[in-house]
């Protein structure tokens, strides 16, 4: 049988004596054979010929050809050699019968997503500065999981068991009676919120006003009536008012963020948490506690959570996204014997599962002890940034501006005189490369606060100084 002649491949840019690497060869061959459709079906040089031409080992060419086969660039034909694979044939598009778009729900008001342009100083970020997050150690753990024969091939809807065990043990150390069987791993704690909203058999939910606004939108999309419970980060809760609102609206679910409530930065006192548990018993509502701010504050762990005070029927959610890496997207929900099967079903319906390889990588990080080491350094850094932010506010802000002093962690609330228009201030600052996020949409009624969140965990001290100096000038100009 006569053989088809093979293609001549050229490799430019190689310095004499320098051998190309396998990945350079893959790229060079792919560029050449995909250059034009006329090469489809042409034969590639045999391994020994190309190895000789390039002065590399035959094994290198074999691995290059294997990679090109895996990428679908070439295909092997039985005993005839390797050929340039045909590209996807173009599909003939039939005549269009244009159909109408699907009617979608609309939110009554929706703050546009604010994203900082490159170079902008984000003064209201809830994130920790990615530059101080443990990316290298996380990467090492993910690499080790990906290479290990034990890499999970399938997934468990409830979540990777060792990770759930680790979480339960950690929570038990914080006075929460948690079992791995009652933990569901979620796609960020946002999914925990979504599952609870989807599964709660109630038409009315209450949350703080100002609320975590994405949570507020979720309630609206779930068709629930949402009631705002006013939080004043300077005064704490008006307990009488809360009780009256709970009595009047009779929500079936109350969703509260007990540490660093977003956006007010408020953390509940133990006395307030005890009242909430008592009202839950008296008025018969379920509780979802959002503890996203835990671990960010030094000396915070003795603060009892609602779950620790109210027992296993308080649903509890938390997340690694803010503490370790936002793009990790791993959070969790803690239920109880009475609630867990419905919560797992809620997750199955929504996403089937979180990528188990990510869960295993995170578990590796936690199990090696990196999390605790990291927390020690990050809390010190956040404390430093917090003190620096307070010093700068003291020095730079004009007289009528007030701010809260949460004691560390990620965010505080800055209250402005009513005469300063926040949208005008935001526009002026945006022109000066500083981003602030107003909270107008986060209130349920007429806003009782007039300010916004400052995230001191995100900017380094020099950036914070620049941002607050521009903020101060902006406020003075609008006063
Ligand atoms: C109070 C609060 N809860 C939950 C979330 C959801 O975060 P994630 O899904 O990243 O855990 C956020 C996000 O900013 C938040 O601010």
């Amino acid at each position: 049988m006569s053989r088809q002649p093979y293609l001549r491949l050229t490799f430019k840019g190689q310095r004499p004596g320098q051998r190309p690497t396998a990945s350079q060869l893959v790229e060079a061959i792919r560029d050449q054979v995909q250059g034009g459709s006329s090469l489809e079906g042409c034969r590639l040089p045999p391994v020994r010929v190309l190895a000789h031409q390039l002065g590399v080992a035959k094994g290198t060419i074999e691995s290059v050809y294997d990679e090109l086969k895996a990428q679908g660039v070439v295909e092997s034909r039985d005993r005839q050699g390797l050929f340039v694979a045909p590209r996807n044939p173009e599909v003939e598009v039939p005549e269009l019968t244009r159909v109408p778009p699907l009617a979608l729900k609309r939110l009554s008001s929706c703050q546009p997503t604010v994203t900082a342009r490159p170079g902008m100083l984000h003064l209201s970020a809830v994130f920790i500065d990615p530059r101080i997050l443990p990316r290298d150690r996380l990467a090492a753990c993910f690499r080790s999981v990906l290479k290990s024969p034990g890499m999970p091939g399938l997934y468990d809807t409830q979540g990777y068991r060792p990770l759930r065990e680790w979480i339960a043990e950690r929570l038990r150390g914080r006075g929460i009676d948690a079992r791995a069987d009652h933990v569901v791993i979620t796609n960020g704690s946002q999914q925990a919120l979504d599952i609870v909203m989807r599964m709660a058999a109630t038409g009315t939910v209450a949350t703080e006003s100002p609320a975590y606004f994405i949570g507020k939108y979720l309630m609206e999309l779930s068709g629930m009536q949402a009631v705002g419970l006013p939080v004043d980060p300077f005064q704490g809760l008006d307990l009488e008012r809360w009780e009256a609102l709970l009595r009047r609206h009779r929500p079936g679910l109350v969703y509260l963020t007990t540490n660093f409530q977003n956006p007010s930065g408020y953390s509940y006192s133990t006395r307030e948490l005890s009242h909430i548990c008592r009202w839950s018993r008296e008025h018969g509502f379920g509780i979802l506690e959002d503890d996203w701010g835990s671990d960010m504050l030094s000396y915070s762990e003795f603060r009892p959570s609602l779950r620790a005070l109210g027992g296993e029927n308080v649903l509890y959610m938390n997340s690694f996204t803010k503490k370790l890496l936002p793009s990790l997207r791993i959070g969790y929900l803690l239920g109880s014997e009475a609630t867990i099967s419905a919560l797992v079903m809620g997750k199955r319906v929504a996403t089937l599962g979180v990528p188990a390889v990510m869960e295993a990588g995170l578990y590796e990080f936690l199990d090696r002890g990196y999390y605790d080491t990291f927390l020690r350094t990050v809390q010190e850094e956040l404390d430093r940034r917090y003190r620096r932010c307070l010093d700068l506010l003291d020095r730079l802000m004009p007289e009528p501006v007030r701010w809260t002093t949460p004691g560390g962690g990620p965010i505080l609330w800055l209250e402005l005189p009513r005469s300063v228009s926040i949208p005008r201030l935001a526009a002026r600052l945006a022109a000066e490369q500083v981003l602030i996020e107003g909270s107008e949409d986060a209130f349920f009624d007429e806003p009782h606060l007039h300010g916004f969140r400052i995230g001191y965990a995100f900017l380094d001290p020099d950036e914070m100084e620049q941002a607050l100096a521009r903020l101060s000038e902006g406020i003075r100009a609008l006063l």
Side-chain angles (χ1 to χ4, degrees):
M1 187 175 69
S2 69
R3 290 220 170 201
Q4 195 188 117
Y6 49 74
L7 288 173
R8 177 191 288 273
L9 298 170
T10 52
F11 300 89
K12 297 196 195 91
Q14 224 61 55
R15 274 192 252 119
Q18 197 186 32
R19 303 237 163 95
T21 64
S23 57
Q24 285 168 337
L25 289 175
V26 168
E27 208 178 312
I29 298 176
R30 200 178 49 211
D31 285 352
Q32 288 183 59
V33 303
Q34 290 190 333
S37 59
S38 57
L39 297 184
E40 277 175 24
C42 293
R43 187 156 79 104
L44 274 90
V47 169
R48 78 187 141 69
V49 173
L50 196 53
H52 178 75
Q53 178 185 338
L54 292 163
V56 299
K58 279 201 280 190
T60 307
I61 302 301
E62 275 160 4
S63 69
V64 167
Y65 279 177
D66 276 349
E67 178 59 26
L68 288 166
K69 269 195 273 184
Q71 292 184 12
V73 176
V74 301
E75 60 187 17
S76 59
R77 291 187 199 154
D78 220 8
R79 282 198 296 259
Q80 294 178 48
L82 215 53
F83 294 81
V84 178
R87 302 279 203 93
N88 287 342
E90 284 194 7
V91 178
E92 216 176 284
V93 181
E95 203 185 316
L96 271 185
T97 311
R98 215 177 265 284
V99 302
L102 170 70
L104 297 171
K105 291 180 185 170
R106 262 177 218 277
L107 288 163
S108 55
S109 66
C110 187
Q111 210 159 287
T113 313
V114 246
T115 38
R117 293 189 302 265
M120 230 179 171
L121 300 171
H122 193 343
L123 196 48
S124 295
V126 287
F127 298 109
I128 295 181
D129 184 347
R131 292 167 296 190
I132 58 173
L133 293 177
R135 293 205 270 192
D136 290 348
R137 292 225 184 281
L138 273 168
C141 293
F142 285 119
R143 272 199 298 276
S144 129
V145 164
L146 289 172
K147 281 189 199 149
S148 123
M151 177 180 90
L154 295 176
Y155 61 89
D156 173 345
T157 292
Q158 192 165 346
Y160 187 58
R161 176 95 205 175
L163 178 59
R164 287 190 281 124
E165 304 263 11
W166 188 96
I167 290 167
E169 193 183 328
R170 169 60 55 125
L171 292 177
R172 284 197 295 274
R174 296 183 52 196
I176 294 178
D177 184 15
R179 282 174 40 194
D181 287 345
H182 296 163
V183 176
V184 190
I185 308 296
T186 52
N187 184 310
S189 54
Q190 186 64 27
Q191 191 190 24
L193 189 57
D194 184 45
I195 291 172
V196 176
M197 294 298 161
R198 223 180 258 259
M199 298 307 290
T202 177
T204 310
V205 55
T207 190
E208 293 102 346
S209 179
Y212 163 46
F213 72 99
I214 305 271
K216 183 166 171 263
Y217 298 153
L218 181 57
M219 291 167 195
E220 194 180 326
L221 283 183
S222 312
M224 289 179 161
Q225 192 212 334
V227 178
L229 303 167
V231 169
D232 181 333
F234 297 95
Q235 309 282 342
L237 311 187
D238 177 342
L239 295 174
E240 269 177 37
R241 177 111 192 270
W242 270 49
E243 191 170 13
L245 285 165
L246 293 168
R247 202 184 287 281
R248 171 146 37 104
H249 295 283
R250 309 194 64 75
L253 170 68
V254 175
Y255 161 61
L256 302 174
T257 303
T258 45
N259 278 312
F260 301 109
Q261 192 265 335
N262 183 4
S264 72
Y266 186 65
S267 298
Y268 288 66
S269 72
T270 310
R271 177 166 171 268
E272 289 165 340
L273 298 181
S274 307
H275 271 84
I276 292 160
C277 294
R278 188 164 57 75
W279 293 330
S280 162
R281 254 175 93 94
E282 286 172 13
H283 304 293
F285 56 79
I287 300 176
L288 171 61
E289 174 175 27
D290 182 343
D291 198 13
W292 78 285
S294 72
D295 288 345
M296 294 206 213
L297 182 66
S298 21
Y299 317 114
S300 64
E301 299 310 334
F302 52 82
R303 222 185 253 237
S305 62
L306 259 179
R307 169 81 183 213
L309 290 173
E312 67 159 17
N313 289 321
V314 175
L315 299 174
Y316 172 96
M317 61 189 245
N318 205 331
S319 177
F320 292 99
T321 63
K322 299 291 186 297
K323 270 94 64 170
L324 278 184
L325 198 65
S327 60
L328 190 60
R329 304 301 309 136
I330 296 185
Y332 58 92
L333 176 62
L334 174 66
S336 62
E337 202 58 39
T339 50
I340 191 65
S341 52
L343 298 175
V344 173
M345 186 50 77
K347 178 174 164 198
R348 171 167 290 141
V349 169
T351 57
L352 296 181
V354 167
V357 270
M358 299 299 284
E359 295 176 299
L362 170 61
Y363 171 69
E364 180 86 18
F365 182 90
L366 301 169
D367 187 49
R368 288 188 189 180
Y370 291 166
Y371 187 57
D372 290 313
T373 321
F374 166 68
L375 282 184
R376 278 194 290 277
T377 53
V378 84
Q379 285 174 356
E380 275 172 27
E381 178 61 22
L382 296 196
D383 285 352
R384 230 188 329 273
R385 290 185 180 204
Y386 168 66
R387 283 194 301 270
R388 172 87 173 138
C389 177
L390 291 189
D391 288 347
L392 288 166
L393 288 170
D394 269 335
R395 182 150 63 79
L396 296 169
M397 287 302 131
E399 180 61 45
V401 178
R402 294 186 297 149
W403 53 92
T404 56
T405 50
I411 55 172
L412 60 73
W413 180 266
L414 189 87
E415 180 73 5
L416 303 176
R418 296 253 164 202
S419 56
V420 175
S421 150
I422 295 177
R424 280 181 62 199
L425 179 64
R428 186 190 154 106
L429 288 172
E432 291 174 26
Q433 295 289 81
V434 174
L435 177 65
I436 59 166
E437 277 183 55
S439 302
E440 306 83 66
D441 261 13
F443 292 88
F444 287 81
D445 306 306
E446 201 46 43
H448 55 279
L449 298 169
H450 186 74
F452 58 91
R453 182 181 65 213
I454 292 206
Y456 38 81
F458 191 67
L459 297 179
D460 74 25
D462 288 343
E463 292 165 336
M464 185 51 98
E465 180 157 8
Q466 291 172 38
L468 289 182
R470 289 176 215 168
L471 173 64
S472 160
E473 277 165 32
I475 295 174
R476 284 170 206 276
L478 295 176
L479 260 176

